[in-house]
Amino acid sequence: VLELVERFGVSHPTQIVDFDLPAPLAGPDVRVLDGEGQEVCGQLLDGGRRIALMTDLPAGQSRSWTMYAGQRPAAFEGGIAVTETPEQYEIANGLVGVRVPGPPTAPPALDALPAPVQGVCMRDGTWAATGPNRLAAEASTLVAMTTRFLERGPLRVVVEVAYAFERPEYRYGQTHVADAGPGYYRSTLTVEAGQPVILFEEDTDRDLSYSMDFHAAVHPTHA
């Protein structure tokens, strides 16, 4: 049994919450019923060590769920959709979406290196910043580029676009900062059901940049 209790007199809007499980679940199938016995959508995370649910939590109230491991859940609509093409993945939840490059068949040239974002879906359903968007990195050679899903379900999708480089010596003016050697860049994107935002986590040991053109979608009038 899973339970949330609100003790601070604050109402919390509908969002994704996750619970640590006492032991990892061996299989992917799990059926979840709420406190009224209605089946709800649950998604196992972290190799079965956690489970995600969508819920609100009114002030001073509680929510509870019962899990049944090994039982196939019902199909749920309205979650996150992942669409694949040979060039990219499109991840959308009906409020926002993002396109990330698919894993290349061979490492692309440095001057044609795709950035981790190849498009963003606006709230009105139009796609902006569709590029192609290029990554500019201070590197001598691209060793590898990978795209992998860390979580892929109806409630939460986490995708990592990673690059491995051979980098030149890093200097700031006349100051030696780092020796030549291997370098990396990882961009991790999270999309959750019902949330109008995309979370970005960036990790690198190189100077790099990329840009996206939102002008046609945003129509800016001031800078």
Side-chain angles (χ1 to χ4, degrees):
V1 176
L2 309 172
E3 186 177 27
L4 284 177
V5 180
E6 208 296 306
R7 303 182 187 278
F8 299 100
V10 177
S11 291
H12 303 269
T14 300
Q15 58 192 280
I16 305 299
V17 298
D18 59 74
F19 296 86
D20 293 330
L21 299 179
L25 295 182
D29 290 338
V30 60
R31 190 163 176 257
V32 183
L33 304 183
D34 64 15
E36 298 179 351
Q38 300 297 313
E39 186 170 1
V40 298
C41 184
Q43 178 185 338
L44 292 176
L45 305 172
D46 194 20
R49 295 177 177 84
R50 294 181 294 139
I51 189 168
L53 303 169
M54 178 184 285
T55 186
D56 64 353
L57 187 60
Q61 298 189 28
S62 63
R63 294 283 188 262
S64 63
W65 302 266
T66 304
M67 290 175 39
Y68 297 91
Q71 296 188 16
R72 184 174 297 276
F76 288 90
E77 297 181 355
I80 304 171
V82 179
T83 305
E84 299 183 26
T85 70
E87 295 80 23
Q88 62 189 8
Y89 297 104
E90 183 177 296
I91 306 163
N93 65 3
L95 299 175
V96 70
V98 63
R99 291 172 179 161
V100 301
T105 56
L110 280 174
D111 60 357
L113 191 58
V117 177
Q118 295 297 314
V120 175
C121 187
M122 312 299 285
R123 288 294 298 270
D124 63 1
T126 61
W127 283 88
T130 54
N133 304 318
R134 303 301 188 194
L135 179 69
E138 289 191 3
S140 55
T141 306
L142 176 69
V143 177
M145 175 185 169
T146 60
T147 301
R148 66 186 184 113
F149 285 87
L150 307 181
E151 305 291 352
R152 185 171 178 172
L155 297 181
R156 180 178 295 163
V157 171
V158 183
V159 61
E160 177 194 81
V161 185
Y163 309 77
F165 303 100
E166 284 295 330
R167 64 188 187 191
E169 179 189 15
Y170 184 24
R171 285 183 170 273
Y172 184 76
Q174 299 300 314
T175 303
H176 171 79
V177 178
D179 294 331
Y184 69 92
Y185 168 46
R186 292 187 292 270
S187 181
T188 305
L189 293 77
T190 300
V191 177
E192 292 188 337
Q195 301 301 312
V197 297
I198 304 165
L199 174 65
F200 290 81
E201 295 182 61
E202 306 284 309
D203 186 16
T204 186
D205 61 356
R206 293 307 321 163
D207 278 344
L208 50 82
S209 65
Y210 66 92
S211 62
M212 296 181 287
D213 184 0
F214 287 94
H215 188 278
V218 178
H219 306 293
T221 58
H222 294 75

